[in-house]
Amino acid sequence: MKGQFGEFGGKYVPELIIPALEELEKAYDKYKGDSEFQEEFDYYLKQYVGRANPLYYAERLTKKLGGAKIYLKREDLNHMGAHKINNALGQALLAKRMGKKRIIAETGAGQHGVATATVAAMFGMECEIFMGAEDVQRQALNVFRMKLLGAKVTPVTDGTQTLSDAVDAALRNWIERIDDTFYLLGSAVGPHPYPTIVRDFQSMIGEEAKEQILEQEGRLPDYLVACVGGGSNAIGLFYPFIGDEDVEMIGVEAAGLGVDTDKHAATMAKGRKGVIHGFKTYVLQDENGQIMPVHSISAGLDYPGVGPEHSYLKDIGRAKYVSVTDDEAVNAFQVLCESEGIIPALESSHAIAHVLKLAPELDQDQIIVMNLSGRGDKDVYTLAERLGVEL
């Protein structure tokens, strides 16, 4: 069924939102195959975002670990420093064609908020970003960047004051101004058609990686590794490889203080099937079905659900999902800084942490491609505090 990934996905929303989702679906169906739309999208991806970005062979890290060859897909080199700009650009172009004058978005780590504010500024559109009050504090640099770009940043003080509450606030605002507002959703989550739209706008990550690894190694990789909160960077990398059964796909979620504590965001490890923010997926919930608070040192992984296509890939056994703790992510952050001269986002550091475990177990002729989804400038204050360094 359209909008379903097995039993996951769908459209579980108030009736007031249905017309807006149908308008969006109709517009997307019209323009996704439109050559003029694709030419404009490709133009901005190349001239504004800076694509194609490199698939970098991490030689020193590979030698340090002594196992499989490690390649990094450098989404951190995109304009504004993360993969989020790919999807924000695509949805902004859709909003323009739909005649919308105002864009809203929610954000956790702030990278999606920065990406949205960026494209809104470039296209001359009004922009408001909803962000949990706790995330506003720990991602102060990105909040300032959004304001510099002309966006209004609205702190959300409900609940745990993190990403999940920001999504609720954005949905409420969308209902209030549905006629002139486009909700630019940042991950492969939400009601249909958002998971499909975001996946499609991010799938150039995997398409480029496939072409680049064939050029550099003459064959496909053995493993793909990417961090998973909502899962947009991971599904962008995975999707073009789904039919390549010999390529193992691994999503890495946040175990926080440990999956056996109540301070984690390990949806795949500890969640149950349920509905959140208008779609069915694996959800962290208590025995009464109430959404549980989540924790991660990485604001971008601080989400109690996951994209519905990931839930489907897990259930059919096509992808595997593992968990990494805050401590492991912090260690991986430092290892990549010192071994390759690259400061990764804390989100990406979760994927690196798993690569640190996986690579030494593999043969030297095996290949890992890891998606370095964002750069870590925004996280240096969090790291400094964690390491007891006063800046």
Side-chain angles (χ1 to χ4, degrees):
M1 184 183 296
K2 199 172 184 182
Q4 296 281 145
F5 304 93
E7 65 178 293
F8 303 104
K11 197 185 294 180
Y12 300 83
V13 295
E15 285 190 18
L16 283 171
I17 296 181
I18 294 292
L21 292 173
E22 290 178 345
E23 180 190 19
L24 174 62
E25 183 178 1
K26 186 177 177 182
Y28 184 62
D29 286 345
K30 176 180 178 180
Y31 291 114
K32 69 181 179 183
D34 180 77
S35 58
E36 187 177 326
F37 179 89
Q38 193 59 52
E39 284 174 13
E40 188 175 4
F41 188 37
D42 290 343
Y43 169 81
Y44 284 112
L45 286 174
K46 180 178 180 181
Q47 302 295 343
Y48 190 72
V49 175
R51 303 200 75 93
N53 56 41
L55 181 69
Y56 167 70
Y57 172 46
E59 185 174 2
R60 273 176 46 82
L61 182 62
T62 296
K63 288 180 178 175
K64 177 183 178 69
L65 298 178
K69 296 180 77 171
I70 300 164
Y71 282 85
L72 305 177
K73 183 58 177 163
R74 296 293 307 274
E75 293 297 308
D76 60 312
L77 295 181
N78 293 345
H79 177 50
M80 291 300 177
H83 73 292
K84 294 292 188 183
I85 192 74
N86 308 323
N87 167 62
L89 177 59
Q91 289 196 42
L93 289 172
L94 261 184
K96 269 182 57 182
R97 280 163 171 73
M98 293 168 68
K100 304 295 184 182
K101 306 295 184 188
R102 177 174 179 261
I103 287 180
I104 61 170
E106 88 300 322
T107 191
Q111 288 299 98
H112 173 57
V114 170
T116 302
T118 298
V119 295
M122 186 176 65
F123 292 128
M125 306 172 85
E126 180 186 348
C127 181
E128 183 170 358
I129 307 294
F130 296 88
M131 193 169 184
E134 181 178 325
D135 292 339
V136 168
Q137 293 296 321
R138 58 180 172 172
Q139 296 295 335
L141 178 60
N142 269 343
V143 172
F144 185 53
R145 294 169 78 199
M146 285 179 249
K147 292 179 177 177
L148 286 175
L149 292 161
K152 175 184 177 184
V153 179
T154 301
V156 177
T157 55
D158 300 331
T160 58
Q161 305 183 10
T162 57
L163 179 58
S164 180
D165 308 296
V167 174
D168 288 334
L171 284 169
R172 287 196 297 272
N173 185 271
W174 195 29
I175 291 173
E176 292 169 2
R177 294 190 58 176
I178 215 154
D179 290 337
D180 72 340
T181 296
F182 186 99
Y183 182 10
L184 204 162
L185 217 158
S187 196
V189 299
H192 175 68
Y194 279 111
T196 300
I197 290 175
V198 176
R199 178 201 68 199
D200 290 352
F201 283 146
Q202 293 290 5
S203 62
M204 83 275 288
I205 299 171
E207 290 166 1
E208 287 177 9
K210 178 180 278 192
E211 184 178 336
Q212 290 166 324
I213 198 67
L214 285 172
E215 182 179 338
Q216 294 181 58
E217 291 285 349
R219 70 176 182 89
L220 296 180
D222 298 285
Y223 292 87
L224 303 175
V225 180
C227 65
V228 173
S232 66
N233 90 91
I235 202 66
L237 177 65
F238 292 173
Y239 188 64
F241 290 89
I242 287 176
D244 300 306
E245 298 287 345
D246 290 337
V247 179
E248 187 166 334
M249 305 189 301
I250 303 175
V252 186
E253 58 184 4
L257 303 187
V259 294
D260 294 325
T261 73
D262 60 355
K263 297 284 187 183
H264 63 79
T267 308
M268 291 297 203
K270 292 293 185 176
R272 293 183 287 119
K273 295 170 185 175
V275 172
I276 183 173
H277 297 140
F279 67 106
K280 183 176 181 182
T281 190
Y282 280 99
V283 183
L284 289 173
Q285 52 191 310
D286 64 20
E287 61 276 12
N288 298 315
Q290 297 298 308
I291 304 301
M292 293 175 62
V294 289
H295 163 83
S296 170
I297 191 172
S298 165
L301 303 183
D302 229 351
Y303 186 65
V306 64
E309 195 162 7
H310 285 294
S311 292
Y312 174 66
L313 293 175
K314 167 189 159 79
D315 272 15
I316 64 172
R318 181 62 190 92
K320 174 183 174 185
Y321 295 86
V322 300
S323 304
V324 158
T325 66
D326 288 350
D327 287 343
E328 290 171 324
V330 168
N331 174 64
F333 181 103
Q334 295 172 288
V335 168
L336 194 68
C337 287
E338 293 170 6
S339 63
E340 293 290 346
I342 297 172
I343 299 177
L346 273 172
E347 289 79 11
S348 312
S349 299
H350 285 70
I352 298 163
H354 185 68
V355 168
L356 298 186
K357 300 176 189 174
L358 176 65
E361 298 175 352
L362 303 178
D363 296 333
Q364 292 184 351
D365 62 351
Q366 290 184 286
I367 298 169
I368 298 171
V369 169
M370 196 211 89
N371 197 26
L372 188 57
S373 56
R375 71 185 186 214
D377 308 39
K378 65 184 179 59
D379 294 318
V380 294
Y381 288 98
T382 301
L383 259 293
E385 182 179 354
R386 177 86 174 195
L387 299 174
V389 176
E390 186 174 346
L391 297 180

